Amino acid sequence: MNNKILKSSTATYQSGVAKADGKFYVTQGEVRFEPYNERAGLGPYTLTRSAIVKIEKSVGTGAGILPLTSDAITITLENEDTYDFIIANPDEWIRLLKH
């Protein structure tokens, strides 16, 4: 499997009210998120691209409810797990991940 990084960026993983800043990157076979502070318990996450069934724009929130930004994506896997990331230029990431 080719693990060459195709694109990377700083991102924020969001799970309800919990957030973690870190590095988000895509290789040919995986999507990875590595938090800057692993002690927070939010990552690292490795998502197999072949397991992704949906990727869509979403909304990053404050306190888990207040919309703060539309620069966010939600990745849904075959097992129905979802992962929310606040990331700049979400349309570019969606285009990349749909190929």
Side-chain angles (χ1 to χ4, degrees), residues 7-84:
K7 186 173 175 80
S8 67
S9 179
T10 299
T12 301
Y13 171 74
Q14 182 165 359
S15 177
V17 298
K19 291 182 181 179
D21 294 328
K23 181 170 177 153
F24 182 89
Y25 60 93
V26 173
T27 68
Q28 196 65 39
E30 298 177 337
V31 175
R32 291 259 317 152
F33 175 76
E34 295 176 355
Y36 296 134
N37 178 4
E38 289 191 23
R39 291 187 302 270
L42 298 171
Y45 297 110
T46 301
L47 313 177
T48 303
R49 288 184 63 181
S50 61
I52 296 173
V53 294
K54 184 166 56 170
I55 179 165
E56 58 195 343
K57 282 180 80 168
S58 56
V59 175
T61 61
I65 54 170
L66 303 170
L68 293 179
T69 180
S70 59
D71 283 348
I73 59 173
T74 298
I75 297 173
T76 304
L77 302 181
E78 292 170 327
N79 64 4
E80 299 182 5
D81 285 352
T82 59
Y83 296 84
D84 296 311

